[in-house]
Amino acid sequence: YGHHMCRAACNIGGVLMSEELKSAGVPIVMLHPGFNRTTMTAKYKHIWDIEGAVEPECGAKRVIHEVSRVTMASSGKFINCEDGLQIPF
């Protein structure tokens, strides 16, 4: 539960920060990098191919792509870097 509680705190922190910085024209988004093949996800190695896990270099490119698309309209949103869609809270 600890990980999920920390993620929830980070998400609401991002939303609050986006509201605070809106008047300054500074967009804030939260990004989910997707399923990457790292040592952290190695315990799921048996489903990497089934679930579409990508190499870290590919995951990083996805994040950079989504960062390049950030606007004030996307501020405060949680974006999935695998497909660019908003993840609802």
Side-chain angles (χ1 to χ4, degrees):
Y1 293 102
H3 172 78
H4 300 296
M5 290 185 293
C6 290
R7 289 297 327 136
C10 287
N11 289 342
I12 194 62
V15 171
L16 294 172
M17 191 181 299
S18 74
E19 288 297 318
E20 185 173 330
L21 296 174
K22 188 182 292 185
S23 64
V26 178
I28 303 293
V29 296
M30 290 68 62
L31 299 173
H32 185 295
F35 192 18
N36 292 277
R37 295 174 186 239
T38 65
T39 54
M40 190 170 93
T41 64
K43 65 182 176 182
Y44 303 113
K45 196 174 195 171
H46 63 285
I47 61 167
W48 277 354
D49 290 334
I50 297 166
E51 295 296 327
V54 297
E55 294 298 328
E57 296 81 6
C58 179
K61 287 178 183 177
R62 289 175 172 179
V63 170
I64 290 168
H65 173 74
E66 292 305 325
V67 167
S68 74
R69 298 182 55 194
V70 172
T71 66
M72 288 307 296
S74 60
S75 191
K77 295 181 179 174
F78 186 22
I79 306 296
N80 184 344
C81 293
E82 290 181 333
D83 57 16
L85 299 177
Q86 181 179 354
I87 299 171
F89 292 111

